[in-house]
Amino acid sequence: MDGELFPRERTLIAPGAVHVPDWLGPERQRELLAACREWARPPAGLRTVSTPGGGTMTARQVCLGLHWYPYAYARTAVDGDGAPVKPMPGWLAELGRDAVAAAYAGTGGADADAEADAEVDAPEGPSAVYDIALINFYDGDARMGRHRDAEEKSGAPVVSLSLGDACVFRFGNTASRGRPYRDVELRSGDLFVFGGPSRLAYHGVPRVLPATAPPTLGLTGRLNITLRVGGLGQPPAPGSPDRA
């Protein structure tokens, strides 16, 4: 928020997990919000996700590139209207690559080329094209239970971008949903990247902090844009023996 006594700094949360505050500037946030509103429209638009146990996620979701549903990927919105998933825009894939570079190499934000004070070792592995986006919308009462992003075959880092209301992001360990974990406040414009030894860490959102969004953004609630590299090719239709 404006006028803080001590500016927030880029922080290593765990090996391979980095929080970069204020990575997206105000104009880039508005552009991304406008795009999210278009992606949320049907067909294959914003939906409520049902879980195998019969419950529903309180955060609503829309997907790009490939459609995620518990716990696989498909080419169509199989748990929604059945329409083909919207394509992953090239500019959003490039934003994912830029985010990883900023987090691990200290190259600054999406809107500037500022130098960071410290460098973080990037997880090993070749650069890959970000081909999946999951956009989750949280109202003031929504949350996300601790889970792992484990349906991908690629080990490329996961990129998380926040818009709107701040939240408590709980980043844990790779062994269980229990302790140790660390709570991080993610605000509008913040970047969080996790890869390497933290790629399969459990993480979740225990609460959103209502009425904390920048007034000029024009968003009530929280949007999270998660970018992933699937490494899946084109998954077969649901119900096929070799379903992704």
Side-chain angles (χ1 to χ4, degrees):
M1 64 185 63
D2 294 337
E4 288 187 281
L5 181 59
F6 300 107
R8 299 182 303 149
E9 297 181 349
R10 181 167 161 272
T11 303
L12 180 67
I13 302 300
V18 185
H19 175 213
V20 185
D22 303 316
W23 189 65
L24 294 169
E27 183 60 30
R28 199 62 189 272
Q29 291 181 52
R30 287 190 288 269
E31 292 171 355
L32 194 52
L33 173 59
C36 287
R37 284 176 166 147
E38 289 302 313
W39 296 327
R41 299 180 187 276
L46 195 69
R47 79 200 194 283
T48 298
V49 181
S50 298
T51 60
T56 57
M57 291 171 49
T58 53
R60 290 176 287 164
Q61 185 180 94
V62 62
C63 302
L64 306 175
L66 288 174
H67 181 86
W68 180 87
Y69 65 103
Y71 293 96
Y73 283 102
R75 297 187 296 264
T76 60
V78 294
D79 59 347
D81 60 11
V85 66
K86 294 178 174 73
M88 176 74 165
W91 64 265
L92 188 59
E94 188 62 30
L95 187 64
R97 295 281 293 274
D98 291 346
V100 171
Y104 292 138
T107 55
D111 302 316
D113 292 323
E115 287 291 331
D117 292 334
E119 294 198 354
V120 178
D121 290 336
E124 295 180 1
S127 297
V129 176
Y130 282 81
D131 57 353
I132 299 169
L134 275 61
I135 298 105
N136 291 310
F137 174 71
Y138 297 76
D139 61 23
D141 297 323
R143 59 184 181 177
M144 183 76 70
R146 269 172 281 178
H147 64 282
R148 298 194 299 176
D149 297 347
E151 288 75 51
E152 302 77 36
K153 293 183 179 178
S154 170
V158 174
V159 172
S160 172
L161 301 166
S162 294
L163 297 175
D165 285 339
C167 78
V168 175
F169 180 65
R170 182 160 291 172
F171 194 78
N173 62 85
T174 58
S176 75
R177 292 180 175 85
R179 296 181 182 272
Y181 57 75
R182 182 167 173 180
D183 286 348
V184 182
E185 184 178 313
L186 297 182
R187 301 180 189 171
S188 193
D190 282 7
L191 164 67
F192 196 99
V193 175
F194 55 100
S198 290
R199 173 60 179 78
L200 293 178
Y202 285 92
H203 57 281
V205 177
R207 67 181 183 275
V208 173
L209 307 177
T212 55
T216 57
L217 184 60
L219 175 63
T220 299
R222 175 179 186 258
L223 278 170
N224 170 246
I225 300 95
T226 298
L227 308 179
R228 305 175 182 176
V229 178
L232 300 167
Q234 282 294 323
S240 300
D242 56 348
R243 183 188 68 193

